[in-house]
Amino acid sequence: MFNVSANGASIPAIGFGTFRIPGTDVLRMVPAALKLGYRHIDTAQIYGNEAEVGEAMASSGVARGDIFLTTKVWVDRYPHDPFIKSVDESLKKLKTDYVDLLLLHWPQSNVPLAERIAALNEVRDAGKVRHIGVSNFNTALMAEAAALSPAPIVTNQVEYHPYLDQSAVLGSARKHGMSITAYYAMADGKVIDDPVIKEIAKVHGRSPAQVVLRWLVQQDSVVALSKTVSEERARSNFEIFDFELSTEEMQALHNLARSAGRIVSPGHLAPQWD
């Protein structure tokens, strides 16, 4: 396990994601993940499981200070007063007095970006949040957010897997000292049966999922989220730090990118993608 440094934040390179994981599974899987060695937990207001994440963390036996916890403000909370109130509600549900990273979940909103960035900085200055970031931003919005924010933006959480070329976003992130946090790494399971990925996995005696997660974290400034309701898969997904892909293997995965590779793009929330 290693950490990714980004604008003053030290983010564990692999996180356990809780998107679409029901509360009962969160109560089971978050302590299991922490026992396996995960130290980065990712949730969001819209996931509806912050309370279970908080309960699971509190009962895990792992000290709060050893866990890097991320949550995200949903778009209907972007006006100033609902924003501040929503963060307080999240902290109460998460059973903590701070989160390590707070993100704007999607960019599309009638609330000016300057107002949203100001609110992020306000809760950071109040000690409720250690670091701030964005999610699903394109390069122009990343640059705008960085320019607007007195505090550094530490990550942009985006869809990223071998079928989606994110080189423009990665380049922008590195330019601004940010990291990229990759979600949907398995591309809805498509990577598991990909012949190129399966061949590389065979060479290393690994699973296709391990190869893709390794491909992500082996890139500069990239954090990967892993999501599963299987303790065995959670273990496997975490065991990616004792092997390395060659330059040729890394490029072979990059070469899988295609123009129609994006999976997640809700029209009322998404920006004009790069």
Side-chain angles (χ1 to χ4, degrees), residues 156-207:
N156 181 15
Q157 186 175 128
V158 295
E159 177 184 349
Y160 189 26
H161 46 73
Y163 307 121
L164 181 61
D165 179 7
Q166 288 285 30
S167 55
V169 170
L170 275 163
S172 180
R174 291 165 183 154
K175 175 184 175 183
H176 294 288
M178 301 179 197
S179 62
I180 288 298
T181 303
Y183 70 79
Y184 260 57
M186 299 301 115
D188 262 355
K190 294 181 180 67
V191 302
I192 304 304
D193 294 317
D194 188 287
V196 172
I197 298 172
K198 286 172 72 175
E199 182 59 32
I200 294 172
K202 183 179 178 181
V203 168
H204 290 274
R206 302 288 173 150
S207 71

Short mmCIF file of all heavy atoms in Angstrom, two decimals, residues 156-207:
data_model
loop_
_atom_site.label_atom_id
_atom_site.label_comp_id
_atom_site.label_asym_id
_atom_site.label_seq_id
_atom_site.Cartn_x
_atom_site.Cartn_y
_atom_site.Cartn_z
N ASN A 156 -9.77 15.23 -8.46
CA ASN A 156 -10.97 15.22 -9.31
C ASN A 156 -11.33 13.75 -9.46
O ASN A 156 -10.57 12.97 -10.05
CB ASN A 156 -10.68 15.85 -10.67
CG ASN A 156 -11.91 15.89 -11.58
OD1 ASN A 156 -13.03 15.70 -11.15
ND2 ASN A 156 -11.67 16.17 -12.85
N GLN A 157 -12.47 13.34 -8.90
CA GLN A 157 -12.89 11.94 -8.97
C GLN A 157 -13.70 11.74 -10.25
O GLN A 157 -14.73 12.38 -10.44
CB GLN A 157 -13.72 11.57 -7.74
CG GLN A 157 -14.06 10.10 -7.70
CD GLN A 157 -14.79 9.67 -6.44
OE1 GLN A 157 -15.84 9.03 -6.51
NE2 GLN A 157 -14.25 9.99 -5.27
N VAL A 158 -13.20 10.87 -11.11
CA VAL A 158 -13.80 10.68 -12.43
C VAL A 158 -13.84 9.21 -12.81
O VAL A 158 -13.09 8.39 -12.28
CB VAL A 158 -13.01 11.45 -13.52
CG1 VAL A 158 -13.08 12.96 -13.31
CG2 VAL A 158 -11.56 10.99 -13.57
N GLU A 159 -14.69 8.89 -13.76
CA GLU A 159 -14.68 7.57 -14.37
C GLU A 159 -13.34 7.36 -15.08
O GLU A 159 -12.90 8.20 -15.86
CB GLU A 159 -15.83 7.46 -15.38
CG GLU A 159 -15.86 6.15 -16.14
CD GLU A 159 -16.94 6.10 -17.21
OE1 GLU A 159 -17.82 7.01 -17.24
OE2 GLU A 159 -16.92 5.18 -18.05
N TYR A 160 -12.71 6.23 -14.80
CA TYR A 160 -11.44 5.95 -15.46
C TYR A 160 -11.18 4.45 -15.46
O TYR A 160 -11.16 3.80 -14.40
CB TYR A 160 -10.29 6.68 -14.76
CG TYR A 160 -8.96 6.63 -15.51
CD1 TYR A 160 -8.90 6.46 -16.89
CD2 TYR A 160 -7.75 6.76 -14.82
CE1 TYR A 160 -7.69 6.42 -17.56
CE2 TYR A 160 -6.53 6.72 -15.48
CZ TYR A 160 -6.51 6.54 -16.85
OH TYR A 160 -5.30 6.50 -17.52
N HIS A 161 -11.02 3.91 -16.65
CA HIS A 161 -10.73 2.50 -16.86
C HIS A 161 -10.04 2.38 -18.21
O HIS A 161 -9.90 3.38 -18.94
CB HIS A 161 -12.03 1.68 -16.81
CG HIS A 161 -13.16 2.26 -17.61
ND1 HIS A 161 -13.19 2.25 -18.99
CD2 HIS A 161 -14.27 2.92 -17.21
CE1 HIS A 161 -14.29 2.85 -19.42
NE2 HIS A 161 -14.97 3.28 -18.35
N PRO A 162 -9.59 1.19 -18.60
CA PRO A 162 -8.81 1.08 -19.84
C PRO A 162 -9.54 1.49 -21.11
O PRO A 162 -8.89 1.79 -22.12
CB PRO A 162 -8.44 -0.41 -19.88
CG PRO A 162 -8.42 -0.83 -18.45
CD PRO A 162 -9.53 -0.07 -17.81
N TYR A 163 -10.86 1.52 -21.10
CA TYR A 163 -11.61 1.85 -22.31
C TYR A 163 -11.87 3.35 -22.46
O TYR A 163 -12.47 3.77 -23.45
CB TYR A 163 -12.94 1.09 -22.34
CG TYR A 163 -12.77 -0.39 -22.16
CD1 TYR A 163 -13.38 -1.05 -21.10
CD2 TYR A 163 -11.97 -1.13 -23.03
CE1 TYR A 163 -13.20 -2.42 -20.92
CE2 TYR A 163 -11.78 -2.49 -22.85
CZ TYR A 163 -12.40 -3.13 -21.79
OH TYR A 163 -12.21 -4.48 -21.61
N LEU A 164 -11.45 4.13 -21.47
CA LEU A 164 -11.70 5.57 -21.49
C LEU A 164 -10.39 6.34 -21.36
O LEU A 164 -9.72 6.27 -20.33
CB LEU A 164 -12.65 5.96 -20.35
CG LEU A 164 -13.03 7.44 -20.25
CD1 LEU A 164 -13.75 7.90 -21.51
CD2 LEU A 164 -13.91 7.68 -19.02
N ASP A 165 -10.04 7.07 -22.39
CA ASP A 165 -8.81 7.88 -22.40
C ASP A 165 -9.02 9.12 -21.53
O ASP A 165 -9.84 9.97 -21.88
CB ASP A 165 -8.47 8.28 -23.83
CG ASP A 165 -7.23 9.16 -23.93
OD1 ASP A 165 -6.55 9.33 -22.89
OD2 ASP A 165 -6.95 9.66 -25.02
N GLN A 166 -8.33 9.20 -20.43
CA GLN A 166 -8.43 10.37 -19.55
C GLN A 166 -7.11 11.15 -19.52
O GLN A 166 -6.83 11.86 -18.55
CB GLN A 166 -8.82 9.94 -18.13
CG GLN A 166 -10.26 9.47 -17.98
CD GLN A 166 -11.27 10.62 -17.98
OE1 GLN A 166 -11.05 11.66 -18.61
NE2 GLN A 166 -12.37 10.44 -17.28
N SER A 167 -6.35 11.07 -20.60
CA SER A 167 -5.04 11.73 -20.60
C SER A 167 -5.16 13.24 -20.45
O SER A 167 -4.32 13.86 -19.79
CB SER A 167 -4.26 11.37 -21.87
OG SER A 167 -5.01 11.66 -23.03
N ALA A 168 -6.19 13.85 -21.04
CA ALA A 168 -6.35 15.30 -20.91
C ALA A 168 -6.62 15.69 -19.46
O ALA A 168 -6.02 16.65 -18.93
CB ALA A 168 -7.48 15.79 -21.81
N VAL A 169 -7.51 14.96 -18.81
CA VAL A 169 -7.83 15.25 -17.42
C VAL A 169 -6.63 14.98 -16.52
O VAL A 169 -6.33 15.75 -15.60
CB VAL A 169 -9.06 14.41 -16.98
CG1 VAL A 169 -9.28 14.50 -15.48
CG2 VAL A 169 -10.31 14.88 -17.71
N LEU A 170 -5.91 13.90 -16.79
CA LEU A 170 -4.70 13.60 -16.03
C LEU A 170 -3.66 14.70 -16.18
O LEU A 170 -3.02 15.12 -15.21
CB LEU A 170 -4.12 12.27 -16.48
CG LEU A 170 -4.71 11.02 -15.82
CD1 LEU A 170 -4.35 9.78 -16.63
CD2 LEU A 170 -4.20 10.89 -14.39
N GLY A 171 -3.48 15.16 -17.40
CA GLY A 171 -2.52 16.23 -17.64
C GLY A 171 -2.88 17.49 -16.90
O GLY A 171 -2.02 18.16 -16.30
N SER A 172 -4.17 17.83 -16.90
CA SER A 172 -4.64 19.01 -16.19
C SER A 172 -4.45 18.85 -14.69
O SER A 172 -4.04 19.78 -13.99
CB SER A 172 -6.11 19.27 -16.51
OG SER A 172 -6.60 20.40 -15.84
N ALA A 173 -4.77 17.66 -14.17
CA ALA A 173 -4.60 17.41 -12.74
C ALA A 173 -3.15 17.60 -12.32
O ALA A 173 -2.86 18.29 -11.33
CB ALA A 173 -5.08 16.00 -12.40
N ARG A 174 -2.25 17.01 -13.08
CA ARG A 174 -0.82 17.11 -12.73
C ARG A 174 -0.34 18.55 -12.80
O ARG A 174 0.45 19.00 -11.97
CB ARG A 174 0.00 16.20 -13.64
CG ARG A 174 -0.25 14.72 -13.37
CD ARG A 174 0.25 13.83 -14.48
NE ARG A 174 -0.07 12.42 -14.22
CZ ARG A 174 -0.21 11.51 -15.15
NH1 ARG A 174 -0.04 11.83 -16.44
NH2 ARG A 174 -0.53 10.27 -14.85
N LYS A 175 -0.84 19.28 -13.78
CA LYS A 175 -0.47 20.70 -13.91
C LYS A 175 -0.85 21.49 -12.68
O LYS A 175 -0.13 22.40 -12.26
CB LYS A 175 -1.16 21.29 -15.15
CG LYS A 175 -0.95 22.78 -15.35
CD LYS A 175 -1.74 23.29 -16.54
CE LYS A 175 -1.65 24.80 -16.67
NZ LYS A 175 -2.49 25.30 -17.80
N HIS A 176 -2.00 21.14 -12.08
CA HIS A 176 -2.51 21.88 -10.92
C HIS A 176 -2.15 21.20 -9.59
O HIS A 176 -2.63 21.62 -8.54
CB HIS A 176 -4.03 22.04 -11.02
CG HIS A 176 -4.46 22.92 -12.16
ND1 HIS A 176 -4.28 24.29 -12.17
CD2 HIS A 176 -5.07 22.62 -13.33
CE1 HIS A 176 -4.76 24.80 -13.29
NE2 HIS A 176 -5.23 23.80 -14.02
N GLY A 177 -1.32 20.17 -9.64
CA GLY A 177 -0.91 19.48 -8.42
C GLY A 177 -1.97 18.56 -7.84
O GLY A 177 -1.83 18.10 -6.70
N MET A 178 -3.02 18.28 -8.59
CA MET A 178 -4.11 17.44 -8.12
C MET A 178 -3.84 15.96 -8.42
O MET A 178 -3.00 15.62 -9.24
CB MET A 178 -5.42 17.80 -8.83
CG MET A 178 -5.91 19.21 -8.69
SD MET A 178 -7.46 19.38 -9.66
CE MET A 178 -7.57 21.17 -9.76
N SER A 179 -4.63 15.13 -7.78
CA SER A 179 -4.69 13.71 -8.14
C SER A 179 -5.97 13.47 -8.93
O SER A 179 -6.86 14.32 -8.99
CB SER A 179 -4.68 12.84 -6.89
OG SER A 179 -5.83 13.11 -6.09
N ILE A 180 -6.04 12.30 -9.53
CA ILE A 180 -7.27 11.79 -10.13
C ILE A 180 -7.68 10.56 -9.32
O ILE A 180 -6.86 9.68 -9.06
CB ILE A 180 -7.05 11.40 -11.61
CG1 ILE A 180 -6.91 12.64 -12.47
CG2 ILE A 180 -8.21 10.54 -12.12
CD1 ILE A 180 -8.12 13.55 -12.49
N THR A 181 -8.93 10.53 -8.90
CA THR A 181 -9.47 9.35 -8.23
C THR A 181 -10.38 8.63 -9.21
O THR A 181 -11.36 9.21 -9.70
CB THR A 181 -10.24 9.72 -6.95
OG1 THR A 181 -9.38 10.46 -6.07
CG2 THR A 181 -10.74 8.47 -6.24
N ALA A 182 -10.03 7.39 -9.52
CA ALA A 182 -10.71 6.64 -10.57
C ALA A 182 -11.85 5.81 -10.01
O ALA A 182 -11.64 4.97 -9.13
CB ALA A 182 -9.72 5.73 -11.28
N TYR A 183 -13.06 6.04 -10.55
CA TYR A 183 -14.17 5.15 -10.23
C TYR A 183 -14.59 4.39 -11.50
O TYR A 183 -14.21 4.75 -12.60
CB TYR A 183 -15.34 5.90 -9.60
CG TYR A 183 -16.14 6.84 -10.50
CD1 TYR A 183 -17.11 6.35 -11.37
CD2 TYR A 183 -15.97 8.22 -10.43
CE1 TYR A 183 -17.86 7.20 -12.18
CE2 TYR A 183 -16.72 9.08 -11.22
CZ TYR A 183 -17.67 8.57 -12.09
OH TYR A 183 -18.41 9.42 -12.89
N TYR A 184 -15.39 3.36 -11.33
CA TYR A 184 -15.80 2.47 -12.43
C TYR A 184 -14.60 1.82 -13.10
O TYR A 184 -14.57 1.60 -14.31
CB TYR A 184 -16.64 3.23 -13.47
CG TYR A 184 -18.14 3.00 -13.33
CD1 TYR A 184 -18.78 3.29 -12.13
CD2 TYR A 184 -18.90 2.50 -14.36
CE1 TYR A 184 -20.14 3.09 -11.97
CE2 TYR A 184 -20.27 2.29 -14.22
CZ TYR A 184 -20.88 2.58 -13.02
OH TYR A 184 -22.23 2.36 -12.86
N ALA A 185 -13.61 1.48 -12.28
CA ALA A 185 -12.37 0.90 -12.82
C ALA A 185 -12.60 -0.39 -13.60
O ALA A 185 -11.87 -0.69 -14.54
CB ALA A 185 -11.38 0.65 -11.68
N MET A 186 -13.64 -1.13 -13.22
CA MET A 186 -13.91 -2.41 -13.89
C MET A 186 -14.79 -2.24 -15.12
O MET A 186 -15.13 -3.22 -15.79
CB MET A 186 -14.56 -3.40 -12.93
CG MET A 186 -13.71 -3.76 -11.72
SD MET A 186 -12.12 -4.50 -12.14
CE MET A 186 -10.99 -3.25 -11.53
N ALA A 187 -15.19 -1.00 -15.43
CA ALA A 187 -16.01 -0.72 -16.61
C ALA A 187 -17.25 -1.62 -16.66
O ALA A 187 -17.54 -2.25 -17.67
CB ALA A 187 -15.19 -0.85 -17.90
N ASP A 188 -17.96 -1.64 -15.53
CA ASP A 188 -19.16 -2.49 -15.42
C ASP A 188 -18.85 -3.96 -15.69
O ASP A 188 -19.67 -4.69 -16.26
CB ASP A 188 -20.26 -2.01 -16.37
CG ASP A 188 -21.29 -1.14 -15.66
OD1 ASP A 188 -21.20 -1.01 -14.42
OD2 ASP A 188 -22.19 -0.61 -16.34
N GLY A 189 -17.67 -4.39 -15.31
CA GLY A 189 -17.29 -5.79 -15.46
C GLY A 189 -16.68 -6.16 -16.80
O GLY A 189 -16.24 -7.31 -16.99
N LYS A 190 -16.64 -5.20 -17.73
CA LYS A 190 -16.13 -5.52 -19.07
C LYS A 190 -14.66 -5.94 -19.07
O LYS A 190 -14.24 -6.73 -19.92
CB LYS A 190 -16.33 -4.32 -20.00
CG LYS A 190 -17.77 -3.96 -20.29
CD LYS A 190 -17.86 -2.79 -21.24
CE LYS A 190 -19.31 -2.41 -21.55
NZ LYS A 190 -20.02 -1.88 -20.36
N VAL A 191 -13.87 -5.41 -18.13
CA VAL A 191 -12.43 -5.72 -18.14
C VAL A 191 -12.16 -7.19 -17.82
O VAL A 191 -11.13 -7.74 -18.22
CB VAL A 191 -11.66 -4.82 -17.14
CG1 VAL A 191 -11.86 -3.35 -17.46
CG2 VAL A 191 -12.04 -5.13 -15.70
N ILE A 192 -13.09 -7.82 -17.12
CA ILE A 192 -12.84 -9.18 -16.63
C ILE A 192 -12.64 -10.17 -17.78
O ILE A 192 -11.84 -11.11 -17.68
CB ILE A 192 -14.00 -9.65 -15.73
CG1 ILE A 192 -14.22 -8.65 -14.57
CG2 ILE A 192 -13.75 -11.04 -15.20
CD1 ILE A 192 -12.99 -8.40 -13.72
N ASP A 193 -13.36 -9.96 -18.88
CA ASP A 193 -13.28 -10.90 -20.01
C ASP A 193 -12.48 -10.35 -21.19
O ASP A 193 -12.48 -10.95 -22.27
CB ASP A 193 -14.70 -11.26 -20.48
CG ASP A 193 -15.45 -12.05 -19.42
OD1 ASP A 193 -14.85 -12.95 -18.82
OD2 ASP A 193 -16.64 -11.73 -19.18
N ASP A 194 -11.80 -9.24 -20.99
CA ASP A 194 -11.01 -8.66 -22.08
C ASP A 194 -9.79 -9.54 -22.35
O ASP A 194 -9.00 -9.81 -21.44
CB ASP A 194 -10.58 -7.24 -21.70
CG ASP A 194 -9.93 -6.53 -22.87
OD1 ASP A 194 -8.77 -6.88 -23.22
OD2 ASP A 194 -10.57 -5.63 -23.45
N PRO A 195 -9.60 -9.98 -23.61
CA PRO A 195 -8.48 -10.89 -23.90
C PRO A 195 -7.11 -10.29 -23.63
O PRO A 195 -6.19 -11.01 -23.19
CB PRO A 195 -8.67 -11.23 -25.38
CG PRO A 195 -9.60 -10.19 -25.93
CD PRO A 195 -10.46 -9.75 -24.79
N VAL A 196 -6.92 -8.99 -23.90
CA VAL A 196 -5.63 -8.35 -23.65
C VAL A 196 -5.33 -8.35 -22.15
O VAL A 196 -4.22 -8.70 -21.71
CB VAL A 196 -5.62 -6.90 -24.20
CG1 VAL A 196 -4.35 -6.17 -23.78
CG2 VAL A 196 -5.75 -6.91 -25.72
N ILE A 197 -6.32 -7.97 -21.37
CA ILE A 197 -6.14 -7.91 -19.92
C ILE A 197 -5.96 -9.31 -19.34
O ILE A 197 -5.11 -9.53 -18.47
CB ILE A 197 -7.32 -7.17 -19.27
CG1 ILE A 197 -7.39 -5.73 -19.78
CG2 ILE A 197 -7.20 -7.18 -17.75
CD1 ILE A 197 -8.62 -4.95 -19.36
N LYS A 198 -6.72 -10.28 -19.87
CA LYS A 198 -6.61 -11.65 -19.38
C LYS A 198 -5.21 -12.22 -19.65
O LYS A 198 -4.66 -12.95 -18.82
CB LYS A 198 -7.68 -12.53 -20.03
CG LYS A 198 -9.08 -12.30 -19.48
CD LYS A 198 -10.13 -13.03 -20.28
CE LYS A 198 -10.09 -14.52 -20.07
NZ LYS A 198 -11.22 -15.20 -20.77
N GLU A 199 -4.64 -11.87 -20.80
CA GLU A 199 -3.31 -12.37 -21.13
C GLU A 199 -2.26 -11.79 -20.19
O GLU A 199 -1.36 -12.51 -19.72
CB GLU A 199 -2.97 -12.04 -22.58
CG GLU A 199 -1.62 -12.57 -23.05
CD GLU A 199 -1.49 -14.08 -22.94
OE1 GLU A 199 -2.49 -14.80 -23.08
OE2 GLU A 199 -0.35 -14.55 -22.67
N ILE A 200 -2.36 -10.49 -19.91
CA ILE A 200 -1.42 -9.86 -18.98
C ILE A 200 -1.59 -10.46 -17.59
O ILE A 200 -0.61 -10.72 -16.88
CB ILE A 200 -1.62 -8.33 -18.97
CG1 ILE A 200 -1.23 -7.74 -20.33
CG2 ILE A 200 -0.81 -7.67 -17.85
CD1 ILE A 200 -1.58 -6.28 -20.50
N ALA A 201 -2.84 -10.69 -17.20
CA ALA A 201 -3.11 -11.29 -15.90
C ALA A 201 -2.47 -12.68 -15.79
O ALA A 201 -1.89 -13.05 -14.76
CB ALA A 201 -4.62 -11.38 -15.67
N LYS A 202 -2.55 -13.43 -16.88
CA LYS A 202 -1.98 -14.78 -16.89
C LYS A 202 -0.47 -14.74 -16.70
O LYS A 202 0.10 -15.55 -15.97
CB LYS A 202 -2.34 -15.46 -18.22
CG LYS A 202 -1.87 -16.89 -18.34
CD LYS A 202 -2.31 -17.49 -19.69
CE LYS A 202 -1.80 -18.92 -19.85
NZ LYS A 202 -2.19 -19.48 -21.17
N VAL A 203 0.18 -13.78 -17.35
CA VAL A 203 1.63 -13.64 -17.24
C VAL A 203 2.05 -13.42 -15.79
O VAL A 203 3.06 -13.96 -15.32
CB VAL A 203 2.13 -12.47 -18.13
CG1 VAL A 203 3.58 -12.13 -17.81
CG2 VAL A 203 1.97 -12.83 -19.61
N HIS A 204 1.25 -12.64 -15.06
CA HIS A 204 1.60 -12.27 -13.69
C HIS A 204 0.97 -13.19 -12.65
O HIS A 204 1.25 -13.03 -11.45
CB HIS A 204 1.19 -10.82 -13.41
CG HIS A 204 2.02 -9.81 -14.14
ND1 HIS A 204 3.21 -9.33 -13.65
CD2 HIS A 204 1.84 -9.21 -15.35
CE1 HIS A 204 3.72 -8.47 -14.50
NE2 HIS A 204 2.92 -8.37 -15.54
N GLY A 205 0.14 -14.13 -13.09
CA GLY A 205 -0.55 -14.97 -12.13
C GLY A 205 -1.53 -14.19 -11.28
O GLY A 205 -1.69 -14.46 -10.08
N ARG A 206 -2.18 -13.23 -11.92
CA ARG A 206 -3.12 -12.34 -11.22
C ARG A 206 -4.48 -12.38 -11.90
O ARG A 206 -4.64 -12.94 -12.99
CB ARG A 206 -2.59 -10.90 -11.24
CG ARG A 206 -1.21 -10.74 -10.61
CD ARG A 206 -1.28 -10.88 -9.10
NE ARG A 206 0.04 -10.90 -8.49
CZ ARG A 206 0.30 -10.44 -7.26
NH1 ARG A 206 -0.68 -9.94 -6.53
NH2 ARG A 206 1.52 -10.52 -6.78
N SER A 207 -5.45 -11.74 -11.27
CA SER A 207 -6.78 -11.62 -11.88
C SER A 207 -6.82 -10.39 -12.78
O SER A 207 -6.03 -9.44 -12.60
CB SER A 207 -7.85 -11.49 -10.80
OG SER A 207 -7.78 -10.23 -10.17
#
